[in-house]
Amino acid sequence: MLEEPGLAVFFRTYQQQVKCERQGQAVKAAELARQRGELALQQSETRFQALSANMPGVIYQFLRKADGSISFPFVSLSCRDLFGLDAAAIEADANRLISMVHPQDRRALDASIVASAQSLQPWHWEGRIVLPSGDVKWMQSVSRPELQADGGILWQGLLIDISDRKQIEFAQRESEQRFRMMADGSPVLIWMDDLDKCCTFFNQTWLTFTGRSLEQEVGQG
């Protein structure tokens, strides 16, 4: 029995409507998924920025391309407090930060970067930076290198201010030097031992009196 023309048209129209509705639902679902993904990414970025801004240091990405050029793809906002520079300025021109390294520490910095790039071992560096105000800060950086597909190397790490720790170290060193000078100038025999009763120090008067060297005496109970 032949199908009635009107009924055939109805079914074709219905099928087209269903197809269009399904396509529309698929487009809406894809758009909703995209919006949710963008929102999740934005929320994640906001949380990361808040976390990095409140860390006791600067989170950074340092890139050394295959041609030797360098850049900072990312620097956390806390760099403003540490260096007096905005993150955007450092990301736009890496030399804005690199040029702040103390001249006496620049060679060691460059050598440490080359060594880490060649070995792909974690990068550790301690050195001074000179702020635009002229103040000097001691910095410590720790990061891990990753070889990129284009031959570049990307370090991701943390840079912290260790000026207070360095001041304590310098003060202790100066105090120890003053003690040694006073002890060596004393006419009496002076020695020191640790908790294990191993001698750790003898003044010059002791060494002169015994005729022994410091290396011979140290460690004797």
Side-chain angles (χ1 to χ4, degrees):
M1 183 176 183
L2 296 177
E3 187 177 29
E4 296 181 6
L7 188 59
V9 172
F10 169 77
F11 277 117
R12 284 199 300 271
T13 303
Y14 175 76
Q15 289 173 346
Q16 290 174 352
Q17 289 177 345
V18 171
K19 182 178 180 180
C20 290
E21 288 179 0
R22 289 177 177 174
Q23 290 177 341
Q25 291 174 352
V27 171
K28 289 181 180 179
E31 177 63 18
L32 182 59
R34 184 187 66 80
Q35 293 177 354
R36 288 177 175 173
E38 290 181 351
L39 179 60
L41 180 62
Q42 183 178 2
Q43 291 175 339
S44 177
E45 176 69 16
T46 300
R47 288 194 296 268
F48 175 74
Q49 289 288 358
L51 176 64
S52 62
N54 289 281
M55 289 191 67
V58 174
I59 298 175
Y60 66 88
Q61 289 181 320
F62 176 69
L63 177 64
R64 184 174 182 265
K65 296 183 179 179
D67 62 5
S69 61
I70 60 173
S71 65
F72 285 96
F74 173 80
V75 181
S76 62
L77 300 178
S78 53
C79 65
R80 179 69 184 178
D81 296 331
L82 206 57
F83 309 125
L85 295 175
D86 292 328
I90 298 174
E91 291 169 0
D93 183 5
N95 286 319
R96 292 288 300 275
L97 178 57
I98 298 298
S99 63
M100 295 173 64
V101 176
H102 195 286
Q104 295 179 1
D105 297 334
R106 180 59 187 271
R107 181 176 296 181
L109 170 67
D110 294 340
S112 66
I113 293 175
V114 170
S116 179
Q118 292 176 343
S119 65
L120 291 180
Q121 293 299 308
W123 178 54
H124 301 270
W125 177 76
E126 286 188 7
R128 293 162 291 178
I129 62 169
V130 183
L131 301 180
S133 64
D135 293 337
V136 176
K137 287 185 177 181
W138 276 90
M139 309 301 298
Q140 181 183 66
S141 181
V142 179
S143 62
R144 184 175 296 276
E146 296 178 0
L147 182 63
Q148 305 298 292
D150 59 2
I153 298 177
L154 180 69
W155 286 266
Q156 302 187 75
L158 178 66
L159 188 66
I160 60 175
D161 184 352
I162 59 170
S163 299
D164 291 343
R165 192 192 80 189
K166 282 295 185 179
Q167 289 179 358
I168 294 174
E169 291 178 358
F170 294 149
Q172 290 177 335
R173 193 175 304 164
E174 291 177 0
S175 176
E176 182 178 348
Q177 289 175 348
R178 288 195 298 268
F179 167 76
R180 288 182 179 274
M181 290 179 61
M182 291 183 357
D184 286 341
S186 173
V188 299
L189 306 181
I190 299 176
W191 75 96
M192 296 177 61
D193 57 17
D194 57 22
L195 296 177
D196 295 326
K197 302 301 181 181
C198 290
C199 295
T200 59
F201 173 79
F202 297 89
N203 71 341
Q204 188 58 48
T205 305
W206 177 290
L207 300 178
T208 301
F209 177 78
T210 60
R212 291 166 60 85
S213 68
L214 182 61
E215 290 73 18
Q216 290 175 313
E217 292 286 34
V218 167
Q220 299 295 322

